[in-house]
Amino acid sequence: MATNNQIDANGYYGNFGGAYIPEILHGSVERLTEAYFAIKDDATFKAEYYDLLKNYVGRPSPLYFAKRLSELYGTNIYLKREDLNHTGAHKINNSLGQILLAKRMGKTRIISETGAGQHGVATATACALMGLECIVFMGKTDVERQFLNVQKMRMLGAKVEAVTSGNMTLKDATNEAIRYWCSNPDSFYIIGSTIGPHPYPDMVAFFQSVISEEIKVQLQEHIGRDYPDYLMACVGGGSNAMGTYYHYLNDERVKIISAEAGGLGIESGESAATIHLGREGIIHGCRTLLMQDEDGQITEPYSISAGLDYPGIGPAHAHFAHTGRTKVHAVTDTEALDAAFELTKLEGIIPAIESAHALALLKKEKNTFKPTDIVVLTVSGRGDKDMDTYVKFFTPNP
Ligand SMILES: *Cc1c(COP(=O)(O)O)cnc(C)c1O
């Protein structure tokens, strides 16, 4: 777990980040920051965390050479298979890291928020494993849309609080979790992406950095060199992408390309393309790019993918897009669906619809690939949860 700490002392990546929190949370966030910086170089913590990643999550996740996909795009494509993790996505890496930290801090109650339910399931799983109380805030609309995940969380022993404010989706669930945290500052809030007040963006990136740590070792084994020409990932709040980029951010040989959710198209008024459309503002504890109207009211985001359907973006991604370190494409629903069916047909892997946004980058960048290039693309999760969406777009064999 080497660090690639791009934040300054106040938790800013350039203009973005910081900790915009109510007074009542200052003490809790300060203690969290101290505890987090203490475990970053703690060998005992690392040993415990890596043991769980190996024996419970099933890491390292494979770096798979996708032969048929590579032929189609005229280059060499390796897929980082976060879809093969326990609970089906990268989220568990972060939930386990934070729960170990919570235990060290002597916390007994975990709170969390979730949109599609993936982070809620990962956190409820970690709480079951550690025997801690778990409350998950989830918009009522999402509770109805993602009922299987709600049932999983309940079976795992979590209390799912259906939030009925606003649009009753992720943004509202997060508001409610923060409200609860203010009245119960002793709870440990496990945030699921590289968002929120400092130290969360840096901490979540750190817990996900195992992804690029493994890529380095695995590329060395596959091709005898530890860096690719391209790294690609999808960005909701930005955690699987930051994990994928972490150990390469300072390596200019590596081109970094992100996918954000273009919904029905960035001109359509129905998208979650925050980097393309957002302006600076403050959401859920940090300064970042934010989809808002002229009066600074947050605009409702839209994407076919519940995991990318968020009006903000992690401050690190706002910063790296701003400085040109990353290139960001807005990928539409249709492009993502096409990419999901293409991967399934060519490689026998049904990706999460979020991950399909990253896969759609291959078509967008095809003309820049050389036959000798190495492309590493993170498949952030598996598609089981998205079958209801996928079946609407294909006709099964009779
Ligand atoms: C939650 C989720 C995402 C989006 O979150 P990030 O923090 O941007 O990684 C992407 N893919 C899957 C499978 C998810 O569950």
Side-chain angles (χ1 to χ4, degrees):
M1 282 200 295
T3 49
N4 190 353
N5 207 335
Q6 303 267 350
I7 47 164
D8 68 16
N10 297 316
Y12 280 88
Y13 301 84
N15 284 337
F16 304 105
Y20 296 82
I21 47 171
E23 191 60 38
I24 186 134
L25 291 178
H26 274 202
S28 302
V29 171
E30 214 160 274
R31 282 189 289 280
L32 170 65
T33 306
E34 280 164 19
Y36 161 56
F37 282 105
I39 58 93
K40 280 187 92 165
D41 298 309
D42 181 317
T44 317
F45 183 91
K46 185 175 165 168
E48 204 177 346
Y49 180 48
Y50 274 59
D51 178 66
L52 281 178
L53 291 180
K54 177 167 183 252
N55 296 307
Y56 188 69
V57 177
R59 303 201 71 91
S61 63
L63 183 70
Y64 164 70
F65 177 62
K67 186 160 170 286
R68 298 184 70 205
L69 199 64
S70 296
E71 277 162 13
L72 181 66
Y73 287 99
T75 193
N76 304 286
I77 301 167
Y78 289 83
L79 302 177
K80 184 58 174 160
R81 299 288 308 278
E82 294 300 299
D83 58 311
L84 294 177
N85 294 340
H86 180 43
T87 69
H90 64 292
K91 298 251 166 47
I92 191 80
N93 305 327
N94 169 54
S95 294
L96 288 174
Q98 287 197 47
I99 208 149
L100 288 179
L101 186 57
K103 271 187 55 176
R104 286 218 158 187
M105 294 176 71
K107 303 286 186 178
T108 54
R109 181 187 296 152
I110 302 296
I111 61 168
S112 195
E113 85 297 321
T114 196
Q118 291 300 103
H119 174 57
V121 169
T123 300
T125 299
C127 288
L129 182 68
M130 300 294 170
L132 298 184
E133 183 187 351
C134 183
I135 306 175
V136 179
F137 295 90
M138 187 171 187
K140 188 163 167 281
T141 311
D142 291 332
V143 168
E144 284 155 15
R145 285 196 292 204
Q146 306 288 338
F147 204 60
L148 181 62
N149 277 341
V150 173
Q151 298 293 49
K152 283 187 191 172
M153 286 184 261
R154 288 182 176 148
M155 184 162 173
L156 288 159
K159 186 167 170 211
V160 179
E161 291 279 358
V163 173
T164 53
S165 55
N167 243 38
M168 308 187 213
T169 58
L170 178 60
K171 166 174 68 65
D172 314 294
T174 307
N175 287 338
E176 204 52 44
I178 294 173
R179 217 167 281 146
Y180 182 92
W181 194 23
C182 289
S183 346
N184 301 270
D186 284 344
S187 312
F188 189 102
Y189 184 9
I190 297 190
I191 293 184
S193 191
T194 44
I195 49 173
H198 176 63
Y200 282 100
D202 184 62
M203 179 167 69
V204 176
F206 176 67
F207 287 134
Q208 293 294 357
S209 70
V210 64
I211 298 174
S212 49
E213 189 177 296
E214 289 174 2
I215 291 172
K216 283 200 144 186
V217 175
Q218 291 169 320
L219 268 185
Q220 187 69 42
E221 284 168 11
H222 277 290
I223 62 165
R225 120 186 168 198
D226 72 353
Y227 66 94
D229 298 288
Y230 291 87
L231 278 176
M232 297 182 171
C234 66
V235 174
S239 69
N240 86 89
M242 277 307 284
T244 303
Y245 307 160
Y246 200 86
H247 292 288
Y248 294 108
L249 283 164
N250 296 331
D251 187 342
E252 296 295 331
R253 295 169 300 188
V254 183
K255 297 186 230 5
I256 301 183
I257 305 185
S258 304
E260 63 176 359
L264 303 182
I266 54 174
E267 310 292 340
S268 69
E270 296 288 332
S271 86
T274 314
I275 288 176
H276 283 83
L277 300 173
R279 285 182 295 117
E280 277 189 41
I282 290 164
I283 187 171
H284 299 142
C286 68
R287 170 170 287 277
T288 188
L289 293 174
L290 181 56
M291 306 233 304
Q292 49 188 310
D293 65 18
E294 261 119 67
D295 303 323
Q297 293 295 323
I298 294 171
T299 330
E300 285 304 331
Y302 163 79
S303 164
I304 192 170
S305 143
L308 303 181
D309 193 351
Y310 183 70
I313 182 127
H317 289 284
H319 174 65
F320 292 122
H322 190 75
T323 61
R325 179 66 188 97
T326 59
K327 179 174 169 186
V328 184
H329 289 285
V331 170
T332 64
D333 291 359
T334 312
E335 290 166 334
L337 284 166
D338 287 347
F341 285 107
E342 184 176 274
L343 182 73
T344 304
K345 197 165 156 214
L346 289 180
E347 300 287 348
I349 298 169
I350 301 178
I353 186 72
E354 291 84 5
S355 319
H357 285 70
L359 289 156
L361 292 171
L362 295 170
K363 196 171 257 172
K364 296 202 181 272
E365 291 289 328
K366 186 176 182 191
N367 292 334
T368 73
F369 295 147
K370 294 196 287 292
T372 51
D373 279 343
I374 305 295
V375 179
V376 171
L377 187 151
T378 293
V379 179
S380 53
R382 63 178 85 126
D384 305 30
K385 68 184 179 57
D386 300 308
M387 285 314 295
D388 286 348
T389 306
Y390 290 149
V391 294
K392 288 187 201 127
F393 294 92
F394 76 97
T395 324
N397 292 332

